[in-house]
PDB file of all heavy atoms in Angstrom:
ATOM      1  N   VAL A   6      -3.479 -44.557 203.270  1.00 97.00           N
ATOM      2  CA  VAL A   6      -3.487 -43.376 204.142  1.00 97.00           C
ATOM      3  C   VAL A   6      -2.525 -43.592 205.306  1.00 97.00           C
ATOM      4  O   VAL A   6      -1.793 -42.672 205.687  1.00 97.00           O
ATOM      5  CB  VAL A   6      -4.913 -43.039 204.620  1.00 97.00           C
ATOM      6  CG1 VAL A   6      -4.902 -41.889 205.622  1.00 97.00           C
ATOM      7  CG2 VAL A   6      -5.806 -42.701 203.426  1.00 97.00           C
ATOM      8  N   GLU A   7      -2.484 -44.791 205.858  1.00 97.00           N
ATOM      9  CA  GLU A   7      -1.524 -45.085 206.932  1.00 97.00           C
ATOM     10  C   GLU A   7      -0.093 -44.891 206.441  1.00 97.00           C
ATOM     11  O   GLU A   7       0.747 -44.341 207.156  1.00 97.00           O
ATOM     12  CB  GLU A   7      -1.707 -46.513 207.450  1.00 97.00           C
ATOM     13  CG  GLU A   7      -2.934 -46.706 208.300  1.00 97.00           C
ATOM     14  CD  GLU A   7      -3.138 -48.166 208.714  1.00 97.00           C
ATOM     15  OE1 GLU A   7      -2.185 -48.977 208.602  1.00 97.00           O
ATOM     16  OE2 GLU A   7      -4.255 -48.492 209.150  1.00 97.00           O
ATOM     17  N   LEU A   8       0.203 -45.338 205.239  1.00 97.00           N
ATOM     18  CA  LEU A   8       1.537 -45.164 204.667  1.00 97.00           C
ATOM     19  C   LEU A   8       1.837 -43.682 204.432  1.00 97.00           C
ATOM     20  O   LEU A   8       2.924 -43.205 204.744  1.00 97.00           O
ATOM     21  CB  LEU A   8       1.652 -45.948 203.356  1.00 97.00           C
ATOM     22  CG  LEU A   8       3.017 -45.918 202.674  1.00 97.00           C
ATOM     23  CD1 LEU A   8       4.069 -46.601 203.538  1.00 97.00           C
ATOM     24  CD2 LEU A   8       2.932 -46.579 201.301  1.00 97.00           C
ATOM     25  N   MET A   9       0.875 -42.960 203.887  1.00 96.00           N
ATOM     26  CA  MET A   9       1.054 -41.521 203.643  1.00 96.00           C
ATOM     27  C   MET A   9       1.372 -40.761 204.927  1.00 96.00           C
ATOM     28  O   MET A   9       2.164 -39.826 204.918  1.00 96.00           O
ATOM     29  CB  MET A   9      -0.240 -40.905 203.071  1.00 96.00           C
ATOM     30  CG  MET A   9      -0.535 -41.214 201.650  1.00 96.00           C
ATOM     31  SD  MET A   9      -2.152 -40.548 201.175  1.00 96.00           S
ATOM     32  CE  MET A   9      -1.900 -38.793 201.404  1.00 96.00           C
ATOM     33  N   THR A  10       0.735 -41.162 206.020  1.00 96.00           N
ATOM     34  CA  THR A  10       0.820 -40.398 207.268  1.00 96.00           C
ATOM     35  C   THR A  10       1.794 -41.006 208.272  1.00 96.00           C
ATOM     36  O   THR A  10       1.723 -40.704 209.459  1.00 96.00           O
ATOM     37  CB  THR A  10      -0.582 -40.247 207.878  1.00 96.00           C
ATOM     38  OG1 THR A  10      -1.130 -41.543 208.149  1.00 96.00           O
ATOM     39  CG2 THR A  10      -1.508 -39.501 206.934  1.00 96.00           C
ATOM     40  N   SER A  11       2.698 -41.839 207.784  1.00 96.00           N
ATOM     41  CA  SER A  11       3.771 -42.398 208.611  1.00 96.00           C
ATOM     42  C   SER A  11       5.072 -41.690 208.263  1.00 96.00           C
ATOM     43  O   SER A  11       5.316 -41.350 207.101  1.00 96.00           O
ATOM     44  CB  SER A  11       3.932 -43.894 208.334  1.00 96.00           C
ATOM     45  OG  SER A  11       2.770 -44.596 208.684  1.00 96.00           O
ATOM     46  N   ASP A  12       5.924 -41.506 209.256  1.00 93.00           N
ATOM     47  CA  ASP A  12       7.220 -40.862 209.022  1.00 93.00           C
ATOM     48  C   ASP A  12       8.116 -41.760 208.177  1.00 93.00           C
ATOM     49  O   ASP A  12       8.333 -42.921 208.490  1.00 93.00           O
ATOM     50  CB  ASP A  12       7.896 -40.570 210.359  1.00 93.00           C
ATOM     51  CG  ASP A  12       9.257 -39.937 210.193  1.00 93.00           C
ATOM     52  OD1 ASP A  12       9.459 -39.193 209.216  1.00 93.00           O
ATOM     53  OD2 ASP A  12      10.129 -40.192 211.045  1.00 93.00           O
ATOM     54  N   HIS A  13       8.649 -41.199 207.085  1.00 92.00           N
ATOM     55  CA  HIS A  13       9.550 -41.936 206.199  1.00 92.00           C
ATOM     56  C   HIS A  13      10.986 -41.447 206.305  1.00 92.00           C
ATOM     57  O   HIS A  13      11.852 -41.939 205.585  1.00 92.00           O
ATOM     58  CB  HIS A  13       9.072 -41.830 204.742  1.00 92.00           C
ATOM     59  CG  HIS A  13       7.789 -42.541 204.495  1.00 92.00           C
ATOM     60  ND1 HIS A  13       7.716 -43.797 203.955  1.00 92.00           N
ATOM     61  CD2 HIS A  13       6.508 -42.177 204.746  1.00 92.00           C
ATOM     62  CE1 HIS A  13       6.455 -44.173 203.875  1.00 92.00           C
ATOM     63  NE2 HIS A  13       5.707 -43.205 204.345  1.00 92.00           N
ATOM     64  N   LEU A  14      11.244 -40.489 207.196  1.00 87.00           N
ATOM     65  CA  LEU A  14      12.590 -39.938 207.317  1.00 87.00           C
ATOM     66  C   LEU A  14      13.371 -40.532 208.477  1.00 87.00           C
ATOM     67  O   LEU A  14      14.558 -40.783 208.363  1.00 87.00           O
ATOM     68  CB  LEU A  14      12.530 -38.416 207.491  1.00 87.00           C
ATOM     69  CG  LEU A  14      11.938 -37.622 206.347  1.00 87.00           C
ATOM     70  CD1 LEU A  14      11.983 -36.141 206.669  1.00 87.00           C
ATOM     71  CD2 LEU A  14      12.662 -37.916 205.048  1.00 87.00           C
ATOM     72  N   GLY A  15      12.715 -40.708 209.605  1.00 83.00           N
ATOM     73  CA  GLY A  15      13.416 -41.159 210.794  1.00 83.00           C
ATOM     74  C   GLY A  15      14.153 -40.008 211.445  1.00 83.00           C
ATOM     75  O   GLY A  15      14.327 -38.934 210.856  1.00 83.00           O
ATOM     76  N   PRO A  16      14.636 -40.200 212.672  1.00 78.00           N
ATOM     77  CA  PRO A  16      15.246 -39.111 213.430  1.00 78.00           C
ATOM     78  C   PRO A  16      16.509 -38.528 212.794  1.00 78.00           C
ATOM     79  O   PRO A  16      16.774 -37.335 212.915  1.00 78.00           O
ATOM     80  CB  PRO A  16      15.563 -39.727 214.790  1.00 78.00           C
ATOM     81  CG  PRO A  16      15.099 -41.131 214.750  1.00 78.00           C
ATOM     82  CD  PRO A  16      14.517 -41.425 213.417  1.00 78.00           C
ATOM     83  N   ALA A  17      17.278 -39.327 212.100  1.00 72.00           N
ATOM     84  CA  ALA A  17      18.537 -38.825 211.535  1.00 72.00           C
ATOM     85  C   ALA A  17      18.303 -37.741 210.478  1.00 72.00           C
ATOM     86  O   ALA A  17      19.097 -36.812 210.354  1.00 72.00           O
ATOM     87  CB  ALA A  17      19.333 -39.975 210.927  1.00 72.00           C
ATOM     88  N   LEU A  18      17.227 -37.840 209.719  1.00 74.00           N
ATOM     89  CA  LEU A  18      16.967 -36.877 208.655  1.00 74.00           C
ATOM     90  C   LEU A  18      16.002 -35.770 209.053  1.00 74.00           C
ATOM     91  O   LEU A  18      15.880 -34.782 208.348  1.00 74.00           O
ATOM     92  CB  LEU A  18      16.414 -37.596 207.415  1.00 74.00           C
ATOM     93  CG  LEU A  18      17.374 -38.570 206.752  1.00 74.00           C
ATOM     94  CD1 LEU A  18      16.685 -39.291 205.611  1.00 74.00           C
ATOM     95  CD2 LEU A  18      18.624 -37.861 206.250  1.00 74.00           C
ATOM     96  N   SER A  19      15.302 -35.932 210.166  1.00 69.00           N
ATOM     97  CA  SER A  19      14.309 -34.936 210.549  1.00 69.00           C
ATOM     98  C   SER A  19      14.803 -34.065 211.701  1.00 69.00           C
ATOM     99  O   SER A  19      14.098 -33.835 212.666  1.00 69.00           O
ATOM    100  CB  SER A  19      12.980 -35.608 210.899  1.00 69.00           C
ATOM    101  OG  SER A  19      13.160 -36.551 211.931  1.00 69.00           O
ATOM    102  N   GLN A  20      16.020 -33.585 211.556  1.00 71.00           N
ATOM    103  CA  GLN A  20      16.593 -32.701 212.567  1.00 71.00           C
ATOM    104  C   GLN A  20      17.333 -31.568 211.875  1.00 71.00           C
ATOM    105  O   GLN A  20      17.567 -31.607 210.680  1.00 71.00           O
ATOM    106  CB  GLN A  20      17.561 -33.477 213.464  1.00 71.00           C
ATOM    107  CG  GLN A  20      16.887 -34.577 214.250  1.00 71.00           C
ATOM    108  CD  GLN A  20      17.887 -35.365 215.083  1.00 71.00           C
ATOM    109  OE1 GLN A  20      19.031 -34.999 215.221  1.00 71.00           O
ATOM    110  NE2 GLN A  20      17.435 -36.463 215.641  1.00 71.00           N
ATOM    111  N   GLY A  21      17.698 -30.597 212.637  1.00 66.00           N
ATOM    112  CA  GLY A  21      18.468 -29.491 212.088  1.00 66.00           C
ATOM    113  C   GLY A  21      17.633 -28.233 211.918  1.00 66.00           C
ATOM    114  O   GLY A  21      16.409 -28.286 211.869  1.00 66.00           O
ATOM    115  N   PRO A  22      18.295 -27.101 211.823  1.00 64.00           N
ATOM    116  CA  PRO A  22      17.590 -25.819 211.786  1.00 64.00           C
ATOM    117  C   PRO A  22      16.789 -25.578 210.508  1.00 64.00           C
ATOM    118  O   PRO A  22      15.891 -24.757 210.497  1.00 64.00           O
ATOM    119  CB  PRO A  22      18.721 -24.797 211.906  1.00 64.00           C
ATOM    120  CG  PRO A  22      19.935 -25.507 211.394  1.00 64.00           C
ATOM    121  CD  PRO A  22      19.739 -26.950 211.758  1.00 64.00           C
ATOM    122  N   ASN A  23      17.080 -26.279 209.433  1.00 61.00           N
ATOM    123  CA  ASN A  23      16.380 -26.054 208.176  1.00 61.00           C
ATOM    124  C   ASN A  23      15.313 -27.099 207.876  1.00 61.00           C
ATOM    125  O   ASN A  23      14.757 -27.113 206.791  1.00 61.00           O
ATOM    126  CB  ASN A  23      17.383 -25.996 207.016  1.00 61.00           C
ATOM    127  CG  ASN A  23      18.320 -24.832 207.172  1.00 61.00           C
ATOM    128  OD1 ASN A  23      17.926 -23.756 207.600  1.00 61.00           O
ATOM    129  ND2 ASN A  23      19.573 -25.041 206.851  1.00 61.00           N
ATOM    130  N   PHE A  24      15.031 -27.978 208.829  1.00 68.00           N
ATOM    131  CA  PHE A  24      13.996 -28.982 208.621  1.00 68.00           C
ATOM    132  C   PHE A  24      12.641 -28.308 208.775  1.00 68.00           C
ATOM    133  O   PHE A  24      12.249 -27.890 209.861  1.00 68.00           O
ATOM    134  CB  PHE A  24      14.151 -30.153 209.591  1.00 68.00           C
ATOM    135  CG  PHE A  24      13.129 -31.232 209.397  1.00 68.00           C
ATOM    136  CD1 PHE A  24      13.068 -31.947 208.209  1.00 68.00           C
ATOM    137  CD2 PHE A  24      12.207 -31.523 210.384  1.00 68.00           C
ATOM    138  CE1 PHE A  24      12.115 -32.940 208.010  1.00 68.00           C
ATOM    139  CE2 PHE A  24      11.260 -32.515 210.202  1.00 68.00           C
ATOM    140  CZ  PHE A  24      11.217 -33.222 209.009  1.00 68.00           C
ATOM    141  N   ALA A  25      11.907 -28.182 207.671  1.00 71.00           N
ATOM    142  CA  ALA A  25      10.711 -27.341 207.608  1.00 71.00           C
ATOM    143  C   ALA A  25       9.600 -27.686 208.599  1.00 71.00           C
ATOM    144  O   ALA A  25       9.084 -26.777 209.229  1.00 71.00           O
ATOM    145  CB  ALA A  25      10.168 -27.314 206.187  1.00 71.00           C
ATOM    146  N   PRO A  26       9.191 -28.936 208.779  1.00 76.00           N
ATOM    147  CA  PRO A  26       8.115 -29.134 209.751  1.00 76.00           C
ATOM    148  C   PRO A  26       8.523 -28.789 211.180  1.00 76.00           C
ATOM    149  O   PRO A  26       7.692 -28.467 211.992  1.00 76.00           O
ATOM    150  CB  PRO A  26       7.765 -30.612 209.627  1.00 76.00           C
ATOM    151  CG  PRO A  26       8.230 -31.001 208.274  1.00 76.00           C
ATOM    152  CD  PRO A  26       9.454 -30.152 208.023  1.00 76.00           C
ATOM    153  N   GLY A  27       9.818 -28.871 211.481  1.00 80.00           N
ATOM    154  CA  GLY A  27      10.304 -28.510 212.811  1.00 80.00           C
ATOM    155  C   GLY A  27      10.469 -29.703 213.725  1.00 80.00           C
ATOM    156  O   GLY A  27      10.170 -30.840 213.371  1.00 80.00           O
ATOM    157  N   PRO A  28      10.959 -29.446 214.948  1.00 84.00           N
ATOM    158  CA  PRO A  28      11.202 -30.515 215.914  1.00 84.00           C
ATOM    159  C   PRO A  28       9.930 -31.285 216.244  1.00 84.00           C
ATOM    160  O   PRO A  28       8.850 -30.709 216.348  1.00 84.00           O
ATOM    161  CB  PRO A  28      11.703 -29.776 217.157  1.00 84.00           C
ATOM    162  CG  PRO A  28      12.092 -28.425 216.684  1.00 84.00           C
ATOM    163  CD  PRO A  28      11.291 -28.133 215.466  1.00 84.00           C
ATOM    164  N   GLY A  29      10.076 -32.587 216.416  1.00 87.00           N
ATOM    165  CA  GLY A  29       8.942 -33.425 216.757  1.00 87.00           C
ATOM    166  C   GLY A  29       8.157 -33.903 215.556  1.00 87.00           C
ATOM    167  O   GLY A  29       7.143 -34.576 215.706  1.00 87.00           O
ATOM    168  N   TYR A  30       8.626 -33.551 214.347  1.00 90.00           N
ATOM    169  CA  TYR A  30       7.935 -33.934 213.120  1.00 90.00           C
ATOM    170  C   TYR A  30       8.849 -34.736 212.208  1.00 90.00           C
ATOM    171  O   TYR A  30      10.054 -34.542 212.195  1.00 90.00           O
ATOM    172  CB  TYR A  30       7.446 -32.699 212.348  1.00 90.00           C
ATOM    173  CG  TYR A  30       6.175 -32.132 212.905  1.00 90.00           C
ATOM    174  CD1 TYR A  30       6.208 -31.238 213.963  1.00 90.00           C
ATOM    175  CD2 TYR A  30       4.940 -32.521 212.408  1.00 90.00           C
ATOM    176  CE1 TYR A  30       5.040 -30.728 214.495  1.00 90.00           C
ATOM    177  CE2 TYR A  30       3.765 -32.011 212.932  1.00 90.00           C
ATOM    178  CZ  TYR A  30       3.822 -31.116 213.977  1.00 90.00           C
ATOM    179  OH  TYR A  30       2.655 -30.632 214.499  1.00 90.00           O
TER     180      TYR A  30
END
């Protein structure tokens, strides 16, 4: 569960206008 609920993308991939969860996710 800890692995499932940890970010696997990092800031470089979790940005931009089309990133579905949105900023801060």
Side-chain angles (χ1 to χ4, degrees):
V6 175
E7 286 176 16
L8 183 65
M9 285 175 62
T10 60
S11 297
D12 178 32
H13 292 262
L14 297 181
L18 295 176
S19 57
Q20 297 178 10
N23 297 322
F24 181 63
Y30 280 85

